[in-house]
Amino acid sequence: MADFRNGPSPGEKSPMILPVPGKRNVLITSALPYVNNVPHLGNIIGCVLSADVFARYCRLRGYNTIYICGTDEYGTATETKAMEENCTPKQICDKFLADRLLEGVCPTPGCNYESARGDQCEKCGKLLNPTDLKDPKCKMCQSTPHIRDTNHLFLELPLLKDKLEEYISKMSEAGSWSQNAIQITSTWLKEGLRPRCITRDLKWGVRVPHEKFSDKVFYVWFDAPIGYVSITACYTPDWEKWWKNPENVELYQFMGKDNVPFHTVMFPCTLLGTGESWTLMKTISVTEYLNYEDGKIIAIPYVTGKFSKSKGVGVFGNDAKDTKIPVEVWRYYLLTNRPEVSDTTFSWTDLQAKLNSELLSNLGNFVNRVLSFIAKPSGQGYGSTIPDAPGAESHSLSKTLAEKVGDLVEQYVKAMEKVKLKQGLKTAMAISSEGNAYLQESQFWKLYKEDPSACAIVMRTSAGLVYLLACLLEPFMPSFSVEVLKQLNMPQIQASLSDENGEIEKIKKLWEILPVAHKIGKPEPLFKELKDDEREFYREKFAGSQADRAVKAAAEKAADELKKTKVSDGSEKKKQQPAKPASSSKNKATSEAEITISRLDIRVGLMTKVQKHPAADSLYVEEIDVGEAAPRTVVSGLVNYIPIEEMQNRKVCVLCNLKPATMRGIKSHAMVLAASNSEHTKVELVEPPKDAPVGERLKFEGFEGEPDEVLNPKKKVWETLQVDLHTGPDLVARFKDLPFTTSAGVCKVSSIANGSIR
């Protein structure tokens, strides 16, 4: 069970892994993640995590294994191309559009998905050509594209039909392809193979090495699978020993269901078309979609549907890291929830339940009970020493446990060999449950005094089971296994379940796995409970899309900064002015008791950032510079009246001393003044002159004095004054007949005469 082989010393280069004659040689790939965004949990479980688990399992079994992956840097973002060509996204759209920059209605009968891309529909998975879309629009500018003639290279799939069908028929059965992969591939074949375009009119990508097509690049999904080969070639000059060795190498490929046709049809045809002897895929493991939880919490609607990099929906890799929830918890939850047969849903409540009941109460509880008891001093335990256990083979309870565990390990191996990862993990956890039941039935705490020899058998057997669990769970939770081996004081041991060394057979004698008198390390809790308030915190934090969260985070940051920064209210000037006579102070107090326009703090503001409210379709969230140390966060209901592009970098009039109010989860620290017509069907911003200084307080002739620091809502100051705020026939903003005045001139609206200002 234990592999004491030494790995390379620090700084020593690992030996090159190449196929070994007579051994089982396994080549594993996973779909290359695009770099347009941090991978979300759906990306992670769909390809890289699943492939990593299987690669670790293969090494655990002693197979000669190599896992190839990388990133796809040619998933072109419009901004990147715009910067390269020194033009705007609109100008990019006027040229030949990349198929992924085109969206429209899916033409597939019964689908009609309205956001299908120009190369593939995300809903039904069908591969498309840009001209197939109904009502196509540019994703960036929403304009309708025009079809132009251009020359492209095509892969003649129909000419390879017979060879492809022969390969699929043979390998789908021999390799136990997942049912969804078989179904998707069969649909392709039934519809008939058509020539497939493999070039694009873009600048960013792999250049076509042909003089007549030197201005084009290869289509990313023609190029990406070839990347598996080129990445291997970067690893070793002997790459052909992996990729041109079909007799001795088994190729396993992992991906989401939307990538299936590229790996079961296009890539095999690419290889078959060369007429050379390539290592073709034996087994394909395909996941369905991982959806993000739905429902509502504190009036913030969640984005429902599948995780999406392009739409920023779901929990992303950096998000998971920032939660401080241990990596083994994330891996466990994703793998128990792996969408192998149908779509599954990520839920914070479900994650909490699995952590607390399965990892903490089942697995962590078993390991900690066993090691903590052994670690107790002599007279209470075994002084951290594995006890001798003579007569274990005749101990009925332990023998029964060993038989059950042996059967479960066989089921584990069978599931993992067929890449049924979820079932493999479930089986390993069932072994932990058997361990807990064994401890309870044995009542070892009583045996320690009443039957010491039986207690020693139970403890040595249980310690062996702890080690076995560290081995079985290493592919799924490697950091967990490292910690368990550390607590067993076996940190240098490489977990192994190799048939060559007869290690599967040794499992039948759990009490012999760990040597007598072996000193264990210090037991520590392996998992920490996730409490309800923590769960709710994460649910709220990761609601909506990445863009929504960015708005909310900016708002919270601005609010925090405002707490630290005293709002400028003229107090500095007051300190510098000489003291006034008592009579003047009395008159001022009398004046301030009156409700006059001087009590309002209206300033010239500059909108530095505007975004949609994450929880309200009709609200904007703005950051406005009003002459203070940090911009103020302001929420306004202008979405239905003023386009967002007209809000950006615009000077406005801002009422700065309203009491802050929370609007759908975001606190607003001021109010933008706007005018509306009598029917309230048209709204326009009140605009200061272009040269008006940001932060300047507006003046009203004849009204002097400092504003209230914060208007008292109970006194109805704003409500009383607002009825006299309006625009005149000349479009000038006024209080009664007095214009809103700055040092650069008066404030106006664009077209609403005799409108109400609020």
PDB file of all heavy atoms in Angstrom, residues 692-707:
ATOM      1  N   ALA A 692     -17.754  75.024 -15.397  1.00  0.00           N
ATOM      2  CA  ALA A 692     -18.038  75.144 -13.964  1.00  0.00           C
ATOM      3  C   ALA A 692     -17.113  74.210 -13.177  1.00  0.00           C
ATOM      4  O   ALA A 692     -16.979  73.032 -13.515  1.00  0.00           O
ATOM      5  CB  ALA A 692     -19.491  74.799 -13.684  1.00  0.00           C
ATOM      6  N   PRO A 693     -16.466  74.694 -12.117  1.00  0.00           N
ATOM      7  CA  PRO A 693     -15.541  73.863 -11.343  1.00  0.00           C
ATOM      8  C   PRO A 693     -16.278  72.737 -10.602  1.00  0.00           C
ATOM      9  O   PRO A 693     -17.326  72.965  -9.995  1.00  0.00           O
ATOM     10  CB  PRO A 693     -14.929  74.846 -10.336  1.00  0.00           C
ATOM     11  CG  PRO A 693     -15.204  76.201 -10.897  1.00  0.00           C
ATOM     12  CD  PRO A 693     -16.493  76.085 -11.636  1.00  0.00           C
ATOM     13  N   VAL A 694     -15.704  71.551 -10.675  1.00  0.00           N
ATOM     14  CA  VAL A 694     -16.288  70.418  -9.955  1.00  0.00           C
ATOM     15  C   VAL A 694     -16.192  70.670  -8.457  1.00  0.00           C
ATOM     16  O   VAL A 694     -15.133  71.060  -7.943  1.00  0.00           O
ATOM     17  CB  VAL A 694     -15.553  69.106 -10.331  1.00  0.00           C
ATOM     18  CG1 VAL A 694     -16.019  67.954  -9.441  1.00  0.00           C
ATOM     19  CG2 VAL A 694     -15.786  68.772 -11.796  1.00  0.00           C
ATOM     20  N   GLY A 695     -17.284  70.473  -7.751  1.00  0.00           N
ATOM     21  CA  GLY A 695     -17.319  70.689  -6.308  1.00  0.00           C
ATOM     22  C   GLY A 695     -17.833  72.046  -5.899  1.00  0.00           C
ATOM     23  O   GLY A 695     -18.109  72.289  -4.714  1.00  0.00           O
ATOM     24  N   GLU A 696     -17.973  72.986  -6.868  1.00  0.00           N
ATOM     25  CA  GLU A 696     -18.474  74.317  -6.544  1.00  0.00           C
ATOM     26  C   GLU A 696     -19.941  74.240  -6.110  1.00  0.00           C
ATOM     27  O   GLU A 696     -20.746  73.538  -6.723  1.00  0.00           O
ATOM     28  CB  GLU A 696     -18.361  75.243  -7.754  1.00  0.00           C
ATOM     29  CG  GLU A 696     -18.878  76.653  -7.475  1.00  0.00           C
ATOM     30  CD  GLU A 696     -18.835  77.559  -8.695  1.00  0.00           C
ATOM     31  OE1 GLU A 696     -18.699  77.035  -9.820  1.00  0.00           O
ATOM     32  OE2 GLU A 696     -18.962  78.780  -8.530  1.00  0.00           O
ATOM     33  N   ARG A 697     -20.259  74.979  -5.043  1.00  0.00           N
ATOM     34  CA  ARG A 697     -21.641  75.011  -4.578  1.00  0.00           C
ATOM     35  C   ARG A 697     -22.442  76.033  -5.376  1.00  0.00           C
ATOM     36  O   ARG A 697     -21.979  77.156  -5.612  1.00  0.00           O
ATOM     37  CB  ARG A 697     -21.677  75.366  -3.087  1.00  0.00           C
ATOM     38  CG  ARG A 697     -23.094  75.295  -2.512  1.00  0.00           C
ATOM     39  CD  ARG A 697     -23.132  75.702  -1.059  1.00  0.00           C
ATOM     40  NE  ARG A 697     -24.512  75.803  -0.609  1.00  0.00           N
ATOM     41  CZ  ARG A 697     -24.927  76.607   0.355  1.00  0.00           C
ATOM     42  NH1 ARG A 697     -24.062  77.385   0.987  1.00  0.00           N
ATOM     43  NH2 ARG A 697     -26.195  76.627   0.698  1.00  0.00           N
ATOM     44  N   LEU A 698     -23.645  75.638  -5.823  1.00  0.00           N
ATOM     45  CA  LEU A 698     -24.490  76.540  -6.592  1.00  0.00           C
ATOM     46  C   LEU A 698     -25.019  77.670  -5.708  1.00  0.00           C
ATOM     47  O   LEU A 698     -25.239  77.471  -4.505  1.00  0.00           O
ATOM     48  CB  LEU A 698     -25.665  75.780  -7.213  1.00  0.00           C
ATOM     49  CG  LEU A 698     -25.427  75.151  -8.599  1.00  0.00           C
ATOM     50  CD1 LEU A 698     -24.296  74.134  -8.564  1.00  0.00           C
ATOM     51  CD2 LEU A 698     -26.702  74.502  -9.108  1.00  0.00           C
ATOM     52  N   LYS A 699     -25.208  78.837  -6.328  1.00  0.00           N
ATOM     53  CA  LYS A 699     -25.693  80.014  -5.599  1.00  0.00           C
ATOM     54  C   LYS A 699     -27.071  80.441  -6.112  1.00  0.00           C
ATOM     55  O   LYS A 699     -27.418  80.214  -7.260  1.00  0.00           O
ATOM     56  CB  LYS A 699     -24.704  81.176  -5.768  1.00  0.00           C
ATOM     57  CG  LYS A 699     -23.344  80.909  -5.145  1.00  0.00           C
ATOM     58  CD  LYS A 699     -22.422  82.105  -5.338  1.00  0.00           C
ATOM     59  CE  LYS A 699     -21.059  81.853  -4.697  1.00  0.00           C
ATOM     60  NZ  LYS A 699     -20.127  83.002  -4.906  1.00  0.00           N
ATOM     61  N   PHE A 700     -27.813  81.081  -5.202  1.00  0.00           N
ATOM     62  CA  PHE A 700     -29.124  81.650  -5.536  1.00  0.00           C
ATOM     63  C   PHE A 700     -29.129  83.072  -4.995  1.00  0.00           C
ATOM     64  O   PHE A 700     -28.968  83.286  -3.785  1.00  0.00           O
ATOM     65  CB  PHE A 700     -30.250  80.818  -4.908  1.00  0.00           C
ATOM     66  CG  PHE A 700     -30.277  79.401  -5.415  1.00  0.00           C
ATOM     67  CD1 PHE A 700     -29.499  78.423  -4.810  1.00  0.00           C
ATOM     68  CD2 PHE A 700     -31.058  79.058  -6.495  1.00  0.00           C
ATOM     69  CE1 PHE A 700     -29.513  77.123  -5.279  1.00  0.00           C
ATOM     70  CE2 PHE A 700     -31.085  77.758  -6.962  1.00  0.00           C
ATOM     71  CZ  PHE A 700     -30.302  76.779  -6.364  1.00  0.00           C
ATOM     72  N   GLU A 701     -29.244  84.036  -5.879  1.00  0.00           N
ATOM     73  CA  GLU A 701     -29.088  85.442  -5.518  1.00  0.00           C
ATOM     74  C   GLU A 701     -30.009  85.831  -4.363  1.00  0.00           C
ATOM     75  O   GLU A 701     -31.203  85.529  -4.366  1.00  0.00           O
ATOM     76  CB  GLU A 701     -29.394  86.329  -6.738  1.00  0.00           C
ATOM     77  CG  GLU A 701     -29.094  87.805  -6.490  1.00  0.00           C
ATOM     78  CD  GLU A 701     -29.364  88.661  -7.713  1.00  0.00           C
ATOM     79  OE1 GLU A 701     -29.725  88.079  -8.772  1.00  0.00           O
ATOM     80  OE2 GLU A 701     -29.228  89.887  -7.627  1.00  0.00           O
ATOM     81  N   GLY A 702     -29.393  86.473  -3.363  1.00  0.00           N
ATOM     82  CA  GLY A 702     -30.148  86.947  -2.212  1.00  0.00           C
ATOM     83  C   GLY A 702     -30.192  85.950  -1.067  1.00  0.00           C
ATOM     84  O   GLY A 702     -30.682  86.287   0.022  1.00  0.00           O
ATOM     85  N   PHE A 703     -29.723  84.745  -1.277  1.00  0.00           N
ATOM     86  CA  PHE A 703     -29.714  83.732  -0.214  1.00  0.00           C
ATOM     87  C   PHE A 703     -28.274  83.338   0.105  1.00  0.00           C
ATOM     88  O   PHE A 703     -27.601  82.697  -0.701  1.00  0.00           O
ATOM     89  CB  PHE A 703     -30.514  82.485  -0.628  1.00  0.00           C
ATOM     90  CG  PHE A 703     -31.984  82.719  -0.698  1.00  0.00           C
ATOM     91  CD1 PHE A 703     -32.584  83.193  -1.862  1.00  0.00           C
ATOM     92  CD2 PHE A 703     -32.791  82.495   0.406  1.00  0.00           C
ATOM     93  CE1 PHE A 703     -33.945  83.427  -1.918  1.00  0.00           C
ATOM     94  CE2 PHE A 703     -34.164  82.719   0.344  1.00  0.00           C
ATOM     95  CZ  PHE A 703     -34.737  83.196  -0.812  1.00  0.00           C
ATOM     96  N   GLU A 704     -27.819  83.772   1.259  1.00  0.00           N
ATOM     97  CA  GLU A 704     -26.471  83.448   1.715  1.00  0.00           C
ATOM     98  C   GLU A 704     -26.581  82.461   2.885  1.00  0.00           C
ATOM     99  O   GLU A 704     -27.671  82.153   3.371  1.00  0.00           O
ATOM    100  CB  GLU A 704     -25.755  84.724   2.164  1.00  0.00           C
ATOM    101  CG  GLU A 704     -25.637  85.793   1.073  1.00  0.00           C
ATOM    102  CD  GLU A 704     -24.762  85.364  -0.076  1.00  0.00           C
ATOM    103  OE1 GLU A 704     -23.872  84.509   0.153  1.00  0.00           O
ATOM    104  OE2 GLU A 704     -24.971  85.849  -1.197  1.00  0.00           O
ATOM    105  N   GLY A 705     -25.450  81.981   3.359  1.00  0.00           N
ATOM    106  CA  GLY A 705     -25.445  81.093   4.516  1.00  0.00           C
ATOM    107  C   GLY A 705     -25.004  79.686   4.153  1.00  0.00           C
ATOM    108  O   GLY A 705     -24.987  79.286   2.983  1.00  0.00           O
ATOM    109  N   GLU A 706     -24.601  78.960   5.197  1.00  0.00           N
ATOM    110  CA  GLU A 706     -24.115  77.596   5.010  1.00  0.00           C
ATOM    111  C   GLU A 706     -25.273  76.599   5.005  1.00  0.00           C
ATOM    112  O   GLU A 706     -26.269  76.788   5.706  1.00  0.00           O
ATOM    113  CB  GLU A 706     -23.134  77.244   6.138  1.00  0.00           C
ATOM    114  CG  GLU A 706     -21.927  78.172   6.216  1.00  0.00           C
ATOM    115  CD  GLU A 706     -21.087  78.142   4.950  1.00  0.00           C
ATOM    116  OE1 GLU A 706     -21.117  77.102   4.258  1.00  0.00           O
ATOM    117  OE2 GLU A 706     -20.418  79.150   4.649  1.00  0.00           O
ATOM    118  N   PRO A 707     -25.131  75.519   4.238  1.00  0.00           N
ATOM    119  CA  PRO A 707     -26.203  74.509   4.194  1.00  0.00           C
ATOM    120  C   PRO A 707     -26.212  73.647   5.447  1.00  0.00           C
ATOM    121  O   PRO A 707     -25.244  73.628   6.212  1.00  0.00           O
ATOM    122  CB  PRO A 707     -25.829  73.673   2.971  1.00  0.00           C
ATOM    123  CG  PRO A 707     -24.336  73.754   2.929  1.00  0.00           C
ATOM    124  CD  PRO A 707     -23.991  75.153   3.376  1.00  0.00           C
TER     125      PRO A 707
END
